[in-house]
Amino acid sequence: MSFIKKYIEQQTINRRNLLLLSAYGLGGLAASASFRPHFARAAVQNPKIAWSYRDRTNPYWNSIVSGGEAFVESLGLPKSDLLNLINGGSSEKSLADIKALLSRYGSGVALAADPNDMPNCRPVVEAVAGAGAYVSTIWNKTDDLHPWDFGDNYVSHMTWSDVGPSEQTARILIEAMGGKGGLVHLGGIASNNPAIERLQGLKNALKSYPNVELLAEQAADWDTQKANQVMSGFLTRYGDAIKGVHCASDTMAYGVIEALRAEGIENMPVVSYDGNPQAVGLVAQGKILATVFTNPYWGGGVTASLAYYAATGVFKPSKEPKEHREFYGPTVLVTTKDASTFKAKYIDSNPKYDWKDFWGLSKGQIQYRS
């Protein structure tokens, strides 16, 4: 488990430096352009390609950005040409950095972005559309916000349907518990779509197991250190009543495992989500029972690709069907039975992707909760 300790330490050391680097060269002031969609505009020559995201010390986001870099290299450009806007989990910084980028480059921007939380997506999209630039988003947006309401400038939104896969991991966990006893859930940022859906998946599974009790659920904000603290608190409060742990991300599972190890607990059933390389290794060892892979490398590359090729006029988003504007990305359940095979296919080396095959791995149009 030494890599988990190193990972926790690395988060502490690197986070401040990454936040400082994110704004380098972009200027210190945010643009104040009013929202006015540009529904018809000439193609942009050589737009600046940028990714706005939370924190590259997180393995999931590192894979996202690596995919973005691979896309940039497919254009014959150095991967350093990808501009990194690192917001450290701050929606305010996310929006300020994007406005600063637009202030400098105007319509010549092809932006891929996770807006950090759902409410922040609208002001991000309005700023981009107001500048006549192009944006593709992932994960977080409100249900009433749609790309087709912004002509070509809001190119696409991709999320992942997490309820079903999270329910699968929960059932694996509960079966390992013998179908009875107490479990705890560590969630992501409360206003994040994936945090909401992954908790719902657990609750759906619990309906089939009347002898299992959800002792507690608490947000740990996708953070390893915070998850370590939350799990330590659960152990103090509930002790031996805890028979299993459901984690909404791999990074939080690392903190959980370290907290369990500190108490001398080696065989507690744990499941997680994201399919990060370290987590897949732990699944292969049986330290984590299951995780769910969302192919962040492909997601990072294709999101940047959509924004870029819309900006350069290769395709016109407003001419595409709605299932090409809002769509689900792929998910793969990884268990102890298939972790080694999965690792060889997706982890040991990244598959080669055609970045113009925008929807080849998509799983259909997003369906909204009523």
Side-chain angles (χ1 to χ4, degrees):
M1 292 299 118
S2 59
F3 90 85
I4 295 177
K5 285 186 175 180
K6 290 180 181 178
Y7 178 77
I8 293 173
E9 292 169 357
Q10 183 185 38
Q11 281 195 315
T12 303
I13 295 168
N14 289 345
R15 183 174 285 117
R16 181 176 178 84
N17 289 339
L18 282 169
L19 289 173
L20 291 172
L21 285 170
S22 70
Y24 181 77
L26 296 179
L29 298 176
S32 59
S34 61
F35 163 57
R36 40 181 176 73
H38 290 239
F39 293 127
R41 197 174 186 93
V44 178
Q45 298 297 318
N46 303 316
K48 294 294 182 182
I49 308 168
W51 241 113
S52 174
Y53 59 98
R54 188 168 297 129
D55 182 357
R56 196 160 186 178
T57 62
N58 182 305
Y60 175 83
W61 289 107
N62 184 59
S63 293
I64 285 277
V65 181
S66 294
E69 290 172 341
F71 164 67
V72 168
E73 289 181 319
S74 77
L75 302 174
L77 302 171
K79 66 181 182 181
S80 58
D81 275 15
L82 179 69
L83 301 178
N84 289 261
L85 308 183
I86 303 169
N87 59 54
S90 166
S91 296
E92 292 79 9
K93 189 174 190 307
S94 167
L95 182 59
D97 284 352
I98 289 167
K99 286 183 174 180
L101 181 73
L102 295 168
S103 179
R104 182 167 182 178
Y105 297 113
S107 62
V109 171
L111 174 67
D114 170 23
N116 187 62
D117 63 20
M118 292 186 288
N120 195 47
C121 192
R122 183 175 291 278
V124 165
V125 168
E126 290 181 350
V128 172
Y134 296 81
V135 60
S136 290
T137 59
I138 65 170
W139 283 123
N140 290 295
K141 79 170 187 64
T142 53
D143 291 354
D144 63 344
L145 180 67
H146 303 290
W148 47 82
D149 292 332
F150 293 82
D152 295 318
N153 300 102
Y154 189 4
V155 180
S156 65
H157 178 75
M158 175 168 56
T159 191
W160 283 258
S161 182
D162 287 342
V163 176
S166 182
E167 181 175 342
Q168 287 180 290
T169 65
R171 290 181 180 276
I172 290 170
L173 174 68
I174 293 168
E175 290 297 323
M177 294 166 52
K180 60 183 180 180
L183 62 81
V184 293
H185 171 80
L186 287 84
I189 296 170
S191 60
N192 283 182
N193 277 329
I196 295 167
E197 292 197 349
R198 293 172 194 182
L199 176 58
Q200 187 60 52
L202 168 62
K203 290 181 175 180
N204 288 353
L206 286 170
K207 294 174 184 178
S208 301
Y209 296 92
N211 295 322
V212 176
E213 180 185 1
L214 177 58
L215 298 172
E217 58 184 77
Q218 186 170 335
D221 299 345
W222 314 116
D223 186 84
T224 299
Q225 291 175 299
K226 189 170 289 186
N228 181 269
Q229 296 164 1
V230 169
M231 189 64 206
S232 294
F234 284 162
L235 289 169
T236 298
R237 182 174 180 181
Y238 298 106
D240 293 341
I242 301 174
K243 303 300 181 184
V245 187
H246 189 269
C247 299
S249 77
D250 295 335
T251 50
M252 292 189 292
Y254 304 154
V256 166
I257 292 170
E258 183 61 23
L260 292 171
R261 188 205 61 78
E263 296 295 325
I265 302 170
E266 299 291 342
N267 298 311
M268 176 79 71
V270 177
V271 295
S272 60
Y273 210 106
D274 285 338
N276 292 332
Q278 298 94 328
V280 172
L282 292 172
V283 172
Q285 298 170 34
K287 301 292 186 181
I288 294 176
L289 297 182
T291 185
V292 177
F293 180 66
T294 57
N295 204 339
Y297 180 83
W298 174 80
V302 81
T303 304
S305 176
L306 281 159
Y308 176 85
Y309 284 121
T312 55
V314 169
F315 79 104
K316 191 173 180 62
S318 59
K319 298 296 185 183
E320 295 293 332
K322 287 184 176 180
E323 59 263 31
H324 288 177
R325 307 293 301 274
E326 293 185 349
F327 57 94
Y328 290 119
T331 56
V332 180
L333 179 69
V334 185
T335 68
T336 53
K337 294 179 180 178
D338 53 29
S340 296
T341 302
F342 175 87
K343 180 175 178 292
K345 182 176 181 180
Y346 289 103
I347 303 298
D348 293 341
S349 62
N350 288 307
K352 299 296 183 182
Y353 295 109
D354 175 1
W355 297 119
K356 287 186 178 179
D357 184 13
F358 306 127
W359 304 286
L361 297 183
S362 71
K363 297 301 178 182
Q365 187 174 347
I366 295 172
Q367 303 297 310
Y368 293 99
R369 299 179 295 272
S370 57

